[in-house]
Amino acid sequence: MRPLFVLPLLLAGCAPAAEPPGNTVDINSAASQAQNSIDSYAANSVDDASNVAADAPGSVPAPTATPGNAIEPLNPPAPGEPGGLPDDRTPVSEAPFTPDSAQGAANVVQTYYALLGEGKYRQAWALWGDGGKESGMGADAFAASFAKYSEYHANIGAPGDVDAGAGQRYVTVPVQIYGRLKAGAKPVYMLGSVTLHRVGDIDGATPAQKSWHIKSADIKPKP
């Protein structure tokens, strides 16, 4: 399976921007904003943890690096290595894709992790099925589960084929996570996949039901 996206995402160093009312997410706009954030991030040092502020009341600020207490740099495994994404060197097609395609599903995953990296937790939560409920958490608990990170990055792999049957559609997208906890600035590496679901073109299906939403996530610490 070839890599589709290599998307380092930096958790915002200031309080997250106010989110628009409701749970509607403009995927293309969010992905574009994420790319702008990536370009800005690449032009700055990734090791200046002193600029990272707590994003939730009562959270622990990231420690400041000093010559005698240097913060360990993040070093996610490369594709093909243990803990890395599959190493498929087949060129990725740049042809346009439709929102209901497998690449459309991967775009949802890209947007999801871009929103998490920017601290827009409620919008990320809304990309789960059933208006966020299939995440297994309410919006506040979901946000709290990510507030412990000072950095949260993701590399997104190429999606698998769409599994179609009985009017339902599923596709799985590989994901590599690497980030840093606020407490102690400890690096975190995880690997797994995200499964998305949508309803096929059947009578009575709404546009929302025919759009990709996250069904489940199997993300575990790397071996």
Side-chain angles (χ1 to χ4, degrees):
M1 194 177 290
R2 60 184 182 280
L4 174 63
F5 303 103
V6 177
L7 178 62
L9 305 175
L10 177 63
L11 189 63
C14 58
E19 299 178 11
N23 289 335
T24 301
V25 178
D26 185 335
I27 289 174
N28 291 330
S29 175
S32 176
Q33 292 176 17
Q35 185 60 54
N36 291 336
S37 298
I38 294 166
D39 294 340
S40 174
Y41 167 61
N44 295 278
S45 171
V46 299
D47 294 323
D48 187 7
S50 61
N51 289 332
V52 180
D55 62 355
S59 57
V60 180
T64 302
T66 64
N69 183 31
I71 295 178
E72 179 183 346
L74 296 177
N75 185 28
E81 295 181 356
L85 291 171
D87 186 8
D88 186 344
R89 302 178 186 276
T90 304
V92 176
S93 172
E94 297 182 359
F97 59 87
T98 59
D100 60 356
S101 67
Q103 284 193 260
N107 193 46
V108 172
V109 178
Q110 180 190 28
T111 301
Y112 173 71
Y113 284 103
L115 292 169
L116 290 177
E118 293 175 353
K120 297 178 180 179
Y121 304 128
R122 184 172 291 273
Q123 291 185 50
W125 176 76
L127 289 177
W128 282 81
D130 196 14
K133 294 179 181 178
E134 288 192 351
S135 68
M137 294 180 281
D140 291 342
F142 181 87
S145 71
F146 289 99
K148 62 186 177 182
Y149 296 99
S150 62
E151 299 181 52
Y152 201 79
H153 311 260
N155 290 330
I156 311 302
D161 295 332
V162 175
D163 182 7
Q168 308 299 312
R169 306 287 184 270
Y170 297 90
V171 67
T172 299
V173 180
V175 177
Q176 179 190 44
I177 303 296
Y178 59 108
R180 193 185 304 280
L181 294 170
K182 289 177 180 176
K186 179 182 178 181
V188 175
Y189 302 99
M190 291 178 281
L191 185 69
S193 61
V194 173
T195 298
L196 300 97
H197 166 262
R198 72 176 183 85
V199 174
D201 296 326
I202 58 178
D203 292 341
T206 66
Q209 290 174 326
K210 291 189 287 186
S211 299
W212 290 113
H213 287 86
I214 298 172
K215 181 70 174 178
S216 64
D218 180 18
I219 309 291
K220 300 177 181 179
K222 77 176 184 66

